[in-house]
Amino acid sequence: MAKPTASLEKIKDFWNSQINDEANWAFNMKLLRAVGLFGGSIFIMRNFGDLMAI
């Protein structure tokens, strides 16, 4: 059986490398904005798309 502390440490190290590194943080923020914009546009079109029809 795997050690839960070893896998938890790997996850913590990965998380910290993504947050604390400037280059990774910049890329992750661009990705989060793109996903948020995409999800928001789907939400708006599904709920208010009939109001936008001609």
Side-chain angles (χ1 to χ4, degrees):
M1 192 164 158
K3 296 181 194 175
T5 57
S7 62
L8 187 60
E9 287 299 320
K10 287 182 182 179
I11 292 171
K12 284 182 182 178
D13 290 340
F14 176 73
W15 179 261
N16 287 333
S17 72
Q18 293 299 312
I19 299 296
N20 295 330
D21 186 20
E22 292 292 326
N24 284 341
W25 179 248
F27 175 75
N28 290 336
M29 282 307 296
K30 287 180 187 177
L31 187 63
L32 284 172
R33 282 189 196 118
V35 169
L37 183 63
F38 182 72
S41 64
I42 289 174
F43 175 78
I44 294 293
M45 289 304 289
R46 286 183 62 91
N47 290 314
F48 305 109
D50 56 338
L51 298 175
M52 295 181 204
I54 295 176

